[in-house]
Amino acid sequence: MQKIEHIGIAVKSLGTAVPVYEKLLNSPCYKTETVESEKVNTAFFQNGPNKVELLESSDPDGVIAKFIDKKGEGLHHVAFAVDDIEAEMKRLQEQGFVLLNEKPKAGADNKWVCFLHPKHTHGVLIELCSERK
Ligand code: ZN
């Protein structure tokens, strides 16, 4: 694991949340992107070396909609940058962590991603991500 690449925050509406985070971080949203496979619309902010990803469900049955139904808006995941995502997935699986996808998936912001089940990480959904080259 290299560093925290971004944190993901589940929101009901990017339309209302983006202006709030622009004010909070005092920097504009630099990218919005829909990830069809995840039924999610994302908006990214850069704040110094840190990134924040806002996630809005693009479908009432999407994972973000379900998350908000259960827990309300708020912190959804913490993403760590890794060099070799497949090697890191293998290492973590051997350590007993449960991966939510067997193979790296194409995520937002030109990344390969893999999620770890929060049951084994004390309640925090962990994302691994590496650059898609
Ligand atoms: Zn993320």
Side-chain angles (χ1 to χ4, degrees):
M1 304 265 196
Q2 293 170 328
K3 59 165 187 171
I4 291 179
E5 212 281 333
H6 63 270
I7 60 163
I9 297 170
V11 303
K12 287 182 184 160
S13 156
L14 288 182
T16 39
V18 165
V20 170
Y21 274 80
E22 287 182 330
K23 266 187 258 178
L24 175 74
L25 301 171
N26 199 23
S27 70
C29 167
Y30 71 88
K31 181 193 239 183
T32 57
E33 188 178 345
T34 296
V35 184
E36 299 286 353
S37 57
E38 301 294 306
K39 297 178 180 166
V40 69
N41 300 319
T42 63
F44 284 90
F45 299 84
Q46 185 87 42
N47 182 238
N50 303 309
K51 272 163 60 180
V52 174
E53 172 186 31
L54 300 182
L55 305 124
E56 166 199 78
S57 194
S58 62
D59 183 298
D61 288 330
V63 286
I64 295 299
K66 285 185 186 148
F67 176 89
I68 291 175
D69 278 350
K70 247 209 275 193
K71 299 191 172 175
E73 293 183 296
L75 184 65
H76 179 258
H77 65 268
V78 176
F80 289 91
V82 299
D83 238 351
D84 180 342
I85 193 165
E86 300 210 19
E88 200 66 4
M89 286 167 69
K90 186 164 178 280
R91 182 184 75 82
L92 291 167
Q93 210 162 23
E94 283 167 4
Q95 298 289 325
F97 293 95
V98 173
L99 308 180
L100 294 182
N101 45 294
E102 293 267 299
K103 293 213 153 138
K105 292 195 290 192
D109 206 24
N110 203 39
K111 299 277 193 296
W112 291 114
V113 302
C114 176
F115 288 93
L116 303 188
H117 199 295
K119 205 163 87 181
H120 305 277
T121 55
H122 296 263
V124 181
L125 180 64
I126 303 289
E127 175 186 338
L128 308 176
C129 62
S130 67
E131 294 296 327
R132 260 191 280 160
K133 285 160 199 152

